Amino acid sequence: QKEVEQNSGPLSVPEGAIASLNCTYSDRGSQSFFWYRQYSGKSPELIMFIYSNGDKEDGRFTAQLNKASQYVSLLIRDSQPSDSATYLCAVRKIKAAGNKLTFGGGTRVLVKP
Amino acid sequence: DTEVTQTPKHLVMGMTNKKSLKCEQHMGHRAMYWYKQKAKKPPELMFVYSYEKLSINESVPSRFSPECPNSSLLNLHLHALQPEDSALYLCASSPEGVGSPLHFGNGTRLTVT
């Protein structure tokens, strides 16, 4: 079982609709959770992070965390063509030797005008 | 513009060459990272430095040699690489603390011929 799993997509969303992305993780010791956006050929760009159960909103983005079920999700409201990218879920836990951030495989999102 | 600067942006090297990738940040972050990313794959952790000491080595082959000369600089020395080492190499930094997000540089696109 992979440590962090995402549906690879593509997730096709009409412009103006809500895109819903899910991520599950296997290690209950995971402590903080991040969503990154990556455009083709570019480096990952931080969108949001969350470490408490519940919802966290920032503009058009909402992250949701459920530690009991070991999943974290990202909602993108009013999707725009510029949101078309790969979204990476990342999970952080403390190892004995230091922090480690592990990425899921990413979900490709296509927003169609 | 990213606050983590990587040089060079592109590098082509032969299998007998020795080269170095450089990374610099001036955000006062005490943790720095090297990730490797192949096309259509998520970033894979290679090394983590915490307070200028190597804290995580993800069983990376010895042809990759990291160095952290001071708290702002991170190098990756390359020697006798293989064509399969061609990838995007990403440097990142973060404050200490499990809740802290990573900030990525723009990456170095490496091609080994």
Side-chain angles (χ1 to χ4, degrees), chain B residues 2-86:
Chain B
T2 180
E3 294 178 84
V4 178
T5 304
Q6 289 188 244
T7 54
K9 287 186 169 55
H10 301 275
L11 178 63
V12 179
M13 60 185 290
M15 289 188 284
T16 59
N17 292 158
K18 285 186 182 180
K19 297 286 184 183
S20 296
L21 308 185
K22 296 187 183 301
C23 175
E24 188 169 4
Q25 58 89 13
H26 293 289
M27 295 180 282
H29 292 170
R30 302 314 299 264
M32 296 186 77
Y33 309 75
W34 281 115
Y35 278 84
K36 172 184 176 180
Q37 187 175 26
K38 304 279 274 184
K40 299 192 188 305
K41 297 289 186 183
E44 289 179 38
L45 181 65
M46 300 175 72
F47 303 103
V48 181
Y49 274 83
S50 180
Y51 290 89
E52 299 152 54
K53 288 186 169 39
L54 183 65
S55 60
I56 296 177
N57 176 341
E58 290 286 276
S59 303
V60 178
S62 60
R63 57 185 185 269
F64 296 92
S65 175
E67 179 196 21
C68 189
N70 60 54
S71 60
S72 300
L73 293 175
L74 185 66
N75 298 322
L76 186 63
H77 303 297
L78 314 173
H79 174 54
L81 293 195
Q82 303 297 309
E84 58 265 29
D85 296 321
S86 299

Side-chain angles (χ1 to χ4, degrees), chain A residues 1-7 22-35 65-67 69-72 88-96 98-106, chain B residues 35 42-46 56 58-59:
Chain A
Q1 183 185 8
K2 292 182 183 176
E3 288 189 59
V4 184
E5 296 210 56
Q6 296 179 253
N7 188 322
N22 294 318
C23 170
T24 57
Y25 59 95
S26 59
D27 189 337
R28 286 194 176 273
S30 301
Q31 294 169 286
S32 51
F33 308 86
F34 305 85
W35 284 99
L65 175 61
N66 184 323
K67 289 188 177 181
S69 301
Q70 294 177 241
Y71 82 78
V72 56
L88 297 163
C89 171
V91 171
R92 193 158 188 181
K93 57 188 176 183
I94 297 282
K95 285 183 69 171
N99 295 337
K100 179 177 177 178
L101 188 72
T102 302
F103 286 88
Chain B
Y35 278 84
E44 289 179 38
L45 181 65
M46 300 175 72
I56 296 177
E58 290 286 276
S59 303

